[in-house]
Amino acid sequence: MRTLESFVQGSWHSPEAGGVVTNHAVTGDPVASVSSNGIDFAATTRYARDVGGPTLRAMTFHERASLLKALGQHLFAEKEMLYDLSTATGATRADSWIDIEGGAGVLLSYASKGRRELPNSTVLVDGEPEILARDGSFIAAHIATPLNGVAVQVNAFNFPCWGALEKLAPALLAGVPAIIKPATQTAFLTEAMVRLIVESGILPDGALQLVCGGLGDLFDHLGGQDLIGFTGSAATAALLRAHPAVVERSARFNAEADSLNAAILGSESEPGSPEFDLFVREVVAEMTVKAGQKCTSIRRAMVPKQHLEAATDAVATALGEVRVGDPADPETSMGALVSTAQRAEVLDAITALSGSTDVVIDSCVFHDVDAERGAFLAPTLLRSNNPADPNVHTTEAFGPVSTIMGYTDPADAISLTALGGGSLVASIYTADPVEAHVLATGIAAHHGRIHVVDASVADSSTGHGSPLPSLVHGGPGRAGGGEEMGGLRGVRHHLQTTAVQGSPDMLTAVTGEWMPGSTRDLDSGHPFKLNFENLDIGTAIQTDSRTVTLDDIVNFAESTGDHFYAHMDEEAAAASPIFGGRVAHGYLVLSLAAGLFVWPDPGPVLANYGIDRCRFAKPTYPGDTLTVFLTCKRKTLRAGTGYGEVAWDAQVLNQDKDVVAAYDVLTMVANQPGVNGAPDESTESGGKA
Ligand code: NAP
């Protein structure tokens, strides 16, 4: 038996004495002793704030994303050691895959999102600037910057790796250090994973601390710059969210709690239809993966009344084929619960459900294990003969247990689903798009995620029970009212959004992005001749002018095939209330603008990879004369590639100085030779001097 250590204030801490002993889920033997005795929690939170926070905040989003990538790769490389330990939680290899590789996958997913969707900067500019004075001299922008505190992350026992990593990834990407507190029962696996992370040396000091055991007075040291992320039971969530740190000092609190998730078989999904079979397959999988100890497991299986008999038989038959036994045996399809105490809780919940349900199946053969010493339990299917009874919608049996029930019509299915009081996820099995719309919109307000399944996604669906890093994980009401992951949404929870008002030049300085009305530097030559590092925000060009002729319009129409009446039909265009005459194609304006601003020779601008925010503000008529202002708006270094991305603010003006087109031109611009991985030999010097 190991005495688990905590990693606090930069070193491993052994508890002074005592500790809760946790047991092997399969053999019942003691595995670990867990205690946080002797930890100075005030110093632990200070260490995160004073050591981890400043280092993380000094890094750009991309630099933090690189940490996540390195960490994810490291955990993938070391995963077998975690798999070996994971068996003691009762998990099969497939269960552990979700936990271990799923967790490392979240790190990689956030690493990639961070590099693709966030700036290579310490400040996130949120949305477009607001013009507050008529003449543009006073504007505002929203910026998002990391909270200056610590993210305390309290996790449930069921996913000791994934549960920790799905909270850690968005926090670190945001620039906020974390203190992880795993559930005592499976803390030995989280401790092993954190040991791998610490030994890798990838994270800066103070970015990650681990508390195995209770949190002592830690919450007393939290305030308005801190976050608490909780996953666990509704009862513990209620206790923690009432702490003065939350209600008096406004620490941000996010809870992921109990959830009686539903699966709804559509009314036209007859027995024998692909949707019926997919429903049965998923209910069985959700009952048996992780022995049903998943927050997203299907607890309520709802079927049209006329199919209740057939669906019950099909699920029961499939459950009868599940092989329950030693999770280390590759033949095993369902392992053990995490502990005999957890099994006792599940059995209590089954007893509580028995008042309003009948047992359909609750026995099985346990292969090659002592089912009493280990925390084994047969998959248990219950059937409700009174689905309106709230008991089946509110009693959570956190194990391989589900209740099947009949509904009369879609409205009934919607109201039964809502009796769950808010859930993480529901699945709908229908081939009928109208029914999918009615059910999905009917239950959406009660859910964080809805999974619509028909035959076309049989092989590609990611599954009812799989929260994905790019999608919101959380749910209203009973599910905790929180939200995790969801791509950058999860990062934003760790940032403070601030509206900053001032002159355009000041806002450019604050945000690091060129703001409309800000000074342009028109004296540095053609900006396309400058390498990435010699290009400043605000470096700009005012191009020569170009008059648009009717021939230009006709030639463009002929070469592209775009003969839209507004360009080609004199009479119809004159009758148009928008144009009042023939106008140039918007795409012709863009092309002419490019002809005005590009530098033709090979040089630092490697490619134009797109445009953003394009708007044609006014029509361009034959005879109009166009000029372009092209201004370096935003720079994003792509580390190690030899180039950076540059977004240019493009304003196309006519002879009256009216903006006819406005957009961002997106380019890749080479670094100076030898810098950031750029080749030493270059065709262009690109220097400003
Ligand atoms: P739990 O008893 O509420 O424990 C959850 C976490 O809270 C554990 O780390 C626990 O630590 C800690 N904790 C308990 N009391 C605390 C206190 N007074 N102060 C600070 N921390 C405290 O839940 P569980 O039994 O481990 O997990 C099962 C439940 O979690 C189920 O109801 C399930 O539905 C829910 N769950 C929800 C999600 C989701 O994403 N919504 C995911 C997984 C599980 P100790 O272990 O040291 O007591």
Side-chain angles (χ1 to χ4, degrees), residues 20 34 153-159 162 166-167 181-186 212-216 219 230-237 239-240 255-260 293-296 299 342 345 396 398 424 467 473-475 478-480 484:
V20 175
V34 189
Q153 302 174 341
V154 182
N155 294 313
F157 68 78
N158 54 345
F159 287 108
W162 178 88
E166 60 101 12
K167 286 189 175 65
K181 184 249 176 293
T184 292
Q185 183 61 41
T186 53
C212 292
L215 284 178
F219 277 33
F230 170 78
T231 300
S233 63
T236 312
L239 191 75
L240 299 188
E256 300 292 324
D258 312 358
S259 180
L260 279 90
Q293 301 164 110
K294 282 200 312 172
C295 52
T296 48
R299 305 280 174 221
Q342 181 61 25
E345 276 193 32
E396 183 198 40
F398 200 63
L424 294 170
H473 175 56
R478 178 176 181 137
E484 285 177 344

Side-chain angles (χ1 to χ4, degrees), residues 13 17 72 101 237 273 283 501 563 580 636 683:
H13 165 93
E101 299 194 45
S273 68
V283 170
Q501 297 166 271
H563 293 273
T636 307
T683 49

Side-chain angles (χ1 to χ4, degrees), residues 60 64 109 141 154 221-222 253 261 309 350 365 387 410 424 469 473 479 488 556 581 590 614 682:
T60 67
R64 294 178 215 136
S109 172
V154 182
H221 308 291
L222 301 181
F253 184 79
N261 311 287
E309 213 56 57
I350 293 173
V365 176
L424 294 170
H473 175 56
L488 293 191
F556 192 78
L590 297 188
C614 181
S682 172

Side-chain angles (χ1 to χ4, degrees), residues 301-314:
M302 299 180 188
V303 301
K305 258 196 166 142
Q306 66 273 22
H307 301 324
L308 181 57
E309 213 56 57
T312 305
D313 286 350

